[in-house]
Amino acid sequence: MQVFVEKGFHTATMRDVAQAAEFSVGKLYLHFSSKEALYQEMLDQHLAELLDRVEAVLRGTGRARQRIEDAVREQLSYFEENPLLLKLFVNETLGFEMRLQAQFGRDVMAKYQRYQTGLVKTFEAGLAAGEFMGATSEDLALKLSGILNALLTVEVQRPEPRPAVVLAEVALRLFYGSPLPNH
């Protein structure tokens, strides 16, 4: 992941990756048929782990509002634990070549739809319990995921990323519509 972040997908070679992993190039090709396959598998594995963690929080017990807030914190904590993943995804995946992007995009979209479905179901429970109002569960899920996507895209450009707890506070304040404090 470090090689792709430092050199960029198109510039990095399998030799660069093998050297960083302390593998021979041949051994690397035994596991991955191409640079694209390696890249896709690496991101797919991380995104699956992130999704599993967020879904576990959303399936939990308790009030829907608390589960939503905990899911935000879980997602941001995952990116804090895996800062290269966020940089790689924002910096490289958005500009991926069309052939790979089509397949990769389907895989990512399937995970994103699972994520959105979990949010929608949790918001539905919160709407039914009176914890949320004024929008549909789908609209609330889109609003929250849009805020998180924008926040993370901006955050990855910062020389010193802010801690996940701070980002969660910002995301939740934006979501709930309250003004940000002066600090």
Side-chain angles (χ1 to χ4, degrees):
M1 199 175 297
Q2 184 72 41
V3 170
F4 288 123
V5 168
E6 288 176 0
K7 292 188 173 223
F9 175 79
H10 292 291
T11 306
T13 65
M14 287 292 268
R15 182 174 306 287
D16 296 329
V17 173
Q19 185 177 11
E22 298 179 0
F23 270 46
S24 69
V25 175
K27 190 168 189 165
L28 190 60
Y29 274 110
L30 285 175
H31 297 282
F32 302 99
S33 61
S34 65
K35 178 173 69 169
E36 291 85 356
L38 168 66
Y39 186 87
Q40 186 169 344
E41 176 64 27
M42 181 179 56
L43 284 181
D44 190 56
Q45 186 176 3
H46 276 284
L47 292 175
E49 182 181 337
L50 169 61
L51 182 58
D52 288 346
R53 286 172 56 170
V54 170
E55 285 180 329
V57 171
L58 292 174
R59 285 190 309 266
T61 58
R63 296 172 50 95
R65 181 177 173 143
Q66 188 62 54
R67 287 182 286 146
I68 290 290
E69 291 173 7
D70 289 346
V72 167
R73 290 182 185 97
E74 186 67 33
Q75 181 177 348
L76 294 170
S77 291
Y78 186 85
F79 283 123
E80 184 176 58
E81 294 164 17
N82 299 281
L84 290 176
L85 174 65
L86 182 59
K87 286 182 180 185
L88 189 66
F89 192 73
V90 170
N91 293 340
E92 289 297 320
T93 304
L94 300 179
F96 231 15
E97 66 181 83
M98 296 306 278
R99 176 179 51 82
L100 184 59
Q101 192 175 31
Q103 177 59 45
F104 183 72
R106 283 191 295 272
D107 296 342
V108 170
M109 186 52 72
K111 286 179 178 54
Y112 187 73
Q113 287 171 338
R114 272 181 49 199
Y115 169 75
Q116 285 298 109
T117 299
L119 289 177
V120 167
K121 288 180 181 180
T122 306
F123 279 121
E124 283 173 357
L127 285 163
E131 296 175 56
F132 301 102
M133 59 182 68
T136 67
S137 57
E138 292 86 1
D139 289 348
L140 291 170
L142 285 171
K143 179 181 177 181
L144 181 59
S145 59
I147 288 168
L148 288 168
N149 289 340
L151 184 63
L152 289 169
T153 299
V154 168
E155 196 63 28
V156 77
Q157 305 303 320
R158 287 180 177 269
E160 286 292 323
R162 295 175 287 180
V165 295
V166 172
L167 295 178
E169 181 182 319
V170 171
L172 292 169
R173 282 202 180 116
L174 290 170
F175 178 75
Y176 292 125
S178 62
L180 295 173
N182 295 329
H183 62 38

